Amino acid sequence: MEEKIEEIMKQYPVRLVAKRRIRGAILLETKEGLFSLQQYQDSIKKLEFQEQVKQIIEESGYTYIDTGIPNETGELLTKDGRGNRWLLKKWFRARECNLYDENDIEPAVRHLAKLHNIMQVPSYPESGEMMPLPKTEKEVSETEKVMSETEKEVSKIEKVMPESKSVTQAMERHIREMKRVYNYIRNKKQRNEMELCILQLFPEFYEQAGSVQEYFSKIDCDSLWQNCIHQGRVYHGNYNYHNVLFQEKQIVTTNFEGAGLGIQITDLYDFLRKIMEKNNWDTKQGIKILDSYCQVRMMQKEEAAFLYLLFLFPEKFWKQINFYYNGKKSWMSVKNYDKLLKIKEQEQKRRKFLTEAKGLLFYSGL
């Protein structure tokens, strides 16, 4: 590994001083600054899209992001002797966001709202839309240039769209998975403590999942998704405490590997849900965080309703029983059982938060 790193770094105009491993990468201290080096296994088009988004953010005046560093030939990816591709990124001396500290949480949420205001790629023609026929040679040349650029943008966009274009389809699949696990356990002759707990909790959480499915048809989530795609709205995809760092008073945003076109409010859901779980579903804190986000970026009514439905769906319960079903069933995982018991313990407070959040987020008439 030492030789491999030295081989890669020879292709960059930096002088290496020290190195050590960090989460998912190698931290490099050089005379030119701090960098991270990681093996890259995704498509080049996806990387180009991520860097395009970072460029948009930088042009808005915010430079605290892990921008990719080109090598001496101007390429973002560098190959080692075995053909593996490596990505060098700007890095920072910073600490992770503390999900138990309001002095970290609220600035991080307001920062997310600022990013959502910024992260928008140029719009592009809808699929099948015809361009006007040119009448002169000059117009022909200009049209070919525009079409070429459009094809490039569409190509990039197609690579960063979610595999499933329907939020409702994904939710329906989760509900079927919950039912499949329930039927499997119910048909067993002997059940362990975890399986009995799943059977006990299932009716309540399955009812919540069914309510989400019912509401989806009323707020037309697919249209919301399509509008976000058409507007070029970009979500971060991994906005969590590992990727939100604090360098004194500056907030550093890293790891845009999950970035794509879609409903941005999913970032807020992912970040806030983890905060709520860590802080025992503190309703007062949760509502305060939602208000902090809206002070910077006001949600559309469809976004707000969608956010509520994300919280209403029992994601933690679904994940745990999926882990159970897809894992070894010959023995009971004490760790997963403890997580299931914690879900049970927190459910009353979670319901209290859902009631308050519904009044704040869900528009009248539904």
Side-chain angles (χ1 to χ4, degrees):
M1 179 60 73
E2 299 287 335
E3 294 179 357
K4 185 180 292 185
I5 294 173
E6 290 180 5
E7 173 192 358
I8 296 165
M9 294 310 296
K10 285 180 181 178
Q11 303 180 56
Y12 291 91
V14 298
R15 291 162 291 177
L16 187 61
V17 175
K19 54 186 176 295
R20 64 181 175 87
R21 289 191 174 275
I22 57 174
R23 181 186 297 272
I26 300 167
L27 182 66
L28 304 175
E29 187 170 348
T30 74
K31 291 186 177 181
E32 289 74 20
L34 209 61
F35 301 92
S36 72
L37 181 68
Q38 64 185 75
Q39 193 168 341
Y40 188 83
Q41 298 178 333
D42 222 320
S43 71
I44 184 64
K45 290 190 179 294
K46 190 168 184 180
L47 178 59
E48 288 173 351
F49 176 82
Q50 294 163 17
E51 293 303 315
Q52 179 190 9
V53 173
K54 292 177 187 178
Q55 183 180 351
I56 291 171
I57 296 172
E58 285 190 321
E59 288 174 352
S60 72
Y62 177 71
T63 58
Y64 291 87
I65 48 178
D66 57 343
T67 311
I69 307 298
N71 57 27
E72 290 183 331
T73 61
E75 298 176 332
L76 283 169
L77 295 178
T78 300
K79 290 185 178 180
D80 60 25
R82 295 187 176 183
N84 298 314
R85 299 177 302 166
W86 294 81
L87 175 65
L88 187 71
K89 297 191 295 184
K90 181 172 65 173
W91 206 249
F92 304 83
R93 298 188 188 279
R95 61 175 178 81
E96 290 187 353
C97 176
N98 185 351
L99 293 187
Y100 297 99
D101 188 348
E102 287 189 5
N103 293 324
D104 278 8
I105 293 171
E106 289 191 38
V109 170
R110 289 194 294 269
H111 177 67
L112 176 61
K114 291 177 183 178
L115 288 179
H116 285 168
N117 284 332
I118 296 168
M119 294 196 300
Q120 184 174 2
V121 296
S123 59
Y124 60 97
E126 293 182 359
S127 177
E129 183 178 339
M130 299 295 292
M131 299 185 70
L133 291 175
K135 297 179 181 179
T136 67
E137 290 184 4
K138 182 178 180 181
E139 288 177 351
V140 170
S141 177
E142 289 298 319
T143 301
E144 288 176 348
K145 181 179 178 181
V146 170
M147 289 183 70
S148 176
E149 292 301 315
T150 299
E151 287 171 0
K152 290 179 183 178
E153 292 304 316
V154 172
S155 178
K156 289 180 184 179
I157 287 166
E158 288 173 348
K159 295 295 182 180
V160 295
M161 283 184 178
E163 292 183 2
S164 172
K165 294 186 178 183
S166 172
V167 178
T168 54
Q169 287 178 358
M171 195 61 62
E172 288 169 358
R173 185 177 69 253
H174 295 339
I175 293 173
R176 289 196 301 269
E177 290 166 351
M178 290 175 65
K179 188 68 173 179
R180 182 169 64 243
V181 176
Y182 173 75
N183 288 334
Y184 169 79
I185 296 175
R186 192 181 59 175
N187 292 330
K188 289 187 67 175
K189 292 182 179 180
Q190 293 184 336
R191 308 179 187 110
N192 58 36
E193 291 177 319
M194 182 172 181
E195 291 165 341
L196 291 172
C197 186
I198 291 173
L199 291 180
Q200 179 189 6
L201 296 176
F202 182 83
E204 181 177 7
F205 289 124
Y206 189 71
E207 181 182 0
Q208 291 177 12
S211 298
V212 174
Q213 191 176 29
E214 178 185 348
Y215 281 129
F216 266 149
S217 60
K218 296 182 180 181
I219 66 171
D220 195 1
C221 291
D222 289 339
S223 292
L224 172 61
W225 182 86
Q226 290 168 4
N227 288 337
C228 290
I229 296 296
H230 182 65
Q231 294 168 11
R233 296 286 176 183
V234 180
Y235 57 85
H236 181 279
N238 286 308
Y239 197 84
N240 57 51
Y241 63 98
H242 295 306
N243 300 328
V244 180
L245 312 177
F246 282 79
Q247 187 182 61
E248 296 180 352
K249 294 183 178 181
Q250 294 292 343
I251 299 178
V252 180
T253 314
T254 66
N255 295 327
F256 284 74
E257 286 80 1
L261 292 169
I263 305 174
Q264 293 177 320
I265 211 69
T266 55
D267 285 335
L268 177 59
Y269 164 72
D270 291 335
F271 190 65
L272 180 53
R273 181 180 64 82
K274 182 61 67 174
I275 292 170
M276 298 303 289
E277 290 173 359
K278 294 287 187 182
N279 292 279
N280 199 25
W281 290 91
D282 185 334
T283 297
K284 184 178 179 181
Q285 183 184 37
I287 298 301
K288 189 176 181 180
I289 292 170
L290 289 173
D291 184 59
S292 294
Y293 180 92
C294 291
Q295 287 176 11
V296 179
R297 177 185 179 270
M298 183 58 64
M299 284 182 262
Q300 299 175 7
K301 63 178 184 179
E302 292 83 5
E303 283 183 303
F306 179 72
L307 178 61
Y308 169 75
L309 295 185
L310 290 177
F311 275 109
L312 179 60
F313 182 79
E315 181 176 351
K316 192 73 172 180
F317 178 74
W318 163 72
K319 282 184 177 179
Q320 289 307 312
I321 65 174
N322 247 20
F323 290 151
Y324 155 81
Y325 188 76
N326 295 319
K328 291 183 179 180
K329 303 179 186 65
S330 57
W331 60 278
M332 185 183 75
S333 168
V334 176
K335 182 179 179 180
N336 288 344
Y337 180 50
D338 287 343
K339 287 183 178 180
L340 201 62
L341 291 177
K342 190 169 184 179
I343 292 171
K344 179 181 178 181
E345 177 187 334
Q346 291 185 337
E347 181 54 20
Q348 185 175 354
K349 291 189 175 181
R350 175 177 170 268
R351 278 189 166 273
K352 181 181 179 182
F353 170 75
L354 287 171
T355 300
E356 293 291 329
K358 184 175 183 179
L360 179 67
L361 298 173
F362 227 62
Y363 55 94
S364 60
L366 293 181

